[in-house]
Amino acid sequence: AQTVTQSQPEMSVQEAETVTLSCTYDTSESDYYLFWYKQPPSRQMILVIRQEAYKQQNATENRFSVNFQKAAKSFSLKISDSQLGDAAMYFCAYRTSETQGGSEKLVFGKGTKLTVNP
Amino acid sequence: DAGVTQSPTHLIKTRGQQVTLRCSPKSGHDTVSWYQQALGQGPQFIFQYYEEEERQRGNFPDRFSGHQFPNYSSELNVNALLLGDSALYLCASKQLGTSGGRGGTGELFFGEGSRLTVL
């Protein structure tokens, strides 16, 4: 079974600075998807960024980028130029790819609470 | 375009009672998944519905059951409630189309959840 571990329960960053959130995972599959979701106090999970395991290039979405290390099974999220609106819980998640049989099941980590200080 | 809508927003039940939570998927989406998020934890997959059938199930007892209607909306039912069932229940929808009920590259959209408290 796949597992996702987020070792930082809480992180803080100054506005306009850069912060990196860590995530490691365990799987025996060769093809899969990894995600970072943001959950603000409104409770709605919002997709931040997604990475497909067969792609070696790290995904980037505006101020958000990932460092995907497949061999190390590591998937960190970097937030540049942090804004007050980035404050939220961040969850790392794993999903099996269609080439491995496909799944709609997301396996989530326990989350990291990010505080942005003005 | 309305996103994923869930009802009720909050509810309180007592041990042993039964509860039904409802979810309307985003327009154009045909599959619905349910997650349980206990306080301070990440969401855990309960099950997925596609074409009115349960297609995948997580590690939850039979007390948790569901249904998908022809209009793609879904219900989550929990019988014989336990204190440990207190959690935020999230519904997520996606357009699978012809991917056979699993996988697909479409984005998953979540609702704001139903907060269940069991006393």
Side-chain angles (χ1 to χ4, degrees):
Chain A
Q2 296 84 20
T3 59
V4 176
T5 302
Q6 293 179 250
S7 59
Q8 306 155 316
E10 296 188 28
M11 292 283 285
S12 64
V13 63
Q14 291 296 127
E15 198 175 1
E17 297 294 309
T18 296
V19 65
T20 298
L21 307 184
S22 301
C23 172
T24 58
Y25 59 94
D26 189 26
T27 183
S28 58
E29 296 174 339
S30 59
D31 197 11
Y32 45 86
Y33 298 98
L34 294 166
F35 306 84
W36 279 98
Y37 280 89
K38 168 184 178 182
Q39 188 178 41
S42 68
R43 311 184 313 197
Q44 184 178 24
M45 286 280 192
I46 301 166
L47 178 65
V48 175
I49 199 165
R50 150 191 167 139
Q51 175 80 41
E52 297 173 56
Y54 71 88
K55 291 186 177 179
Q56 295 192 358
Q57 185 173 5
N58 290 325
T60 299
E61 288 287 342
N62 300 314
R63 298 182 295 106
F64 299 87
S65 62
V66 298
N67 183 5
F68 173 48
Q69 302 289 327
K70 191 173 184 179
K73 296 180 182 175
S74 171
F75 183 61
S76 61
L77 174 70
K78 185 171 81 171
I79 307 174
S80 303
D81 186 25
S82 296
Q83 301 176 0
L84 295 177
D86 295 333
M89 285 293 293
Y90 285 82
F91 292 94
C92 178
Y94 174 105
R95 180 167 76 81
T96 299
S97 166
E98 296 73 46
T99 62
Q100 304 285 304
S103 174
E104 286 308 305
K105 173 183 175 181
L106 285 174
V107 178
F108 285 89
K110 290 187 175 183
T112 296
K113 181 179 180 181
L114 178 65
T115 302
V116 181
N117 300 308
Chain B
D1 175 26
V4 179
T5 57
Q6 293 186 243
S7 63
T9 306
H10 297 85
L11 70 166
I12 300 173
K13 294 286 188 178
T14 57
R15 279 178 296 175
Q17 285 190 312
Q18 179 263 346
V19 68
T20 297
L21 308 179
R22 296 175 176 83
C23 172
S24 293
K26 183 177 170 61
S27 177
H29 287 188
D30 53 14
T31 187
V32 172
S33 298
W34 287 91
Y35 288 81
Q36 180 195 66
Q37 186 178 14
L39 196 62
Q41 302 293 316
Q44 290 201 331
F45 177 79
I46 303 174
F47 43 51
Q48 173 222 357
Y49 276 83
Y50 175 68
E51 293 184 331
E52 302 179 46
E53 292 184 4
E54 182 183 295
R55 296 303 184 105
Q56 270 192 280
R57 189 178 184 93
N59 188 25
F60 280 81
D62 291 345
R63 298 187 297 109
F64 289 77
S65 63
H67 190 78
Q68 186 180 33
F69 299 93
N71 67 353
Y72 306 116
S73 66
S74 177
E75 288 182 349
L76 163 65
N77 300 293
V78 187
N79 294 323
L81 285 167
L82 303 173
L83 295 178
D85 294 332
S86 295
L88 178 69
Y89 288 85
L90 296 168
C91 171
S93 73
K94 181 177 173 181
Q95 183 181 40
L96 280 183
T98 57
S99 67
R102 288 190 176 193
T105 56
E107 182 179 342
L108 193 65
F109 286 80
F110 284 83
E112 294 188 354
S114 295
R115 171 79 66 190
L116 171 64
T117 302
V118 182
L119 301 176

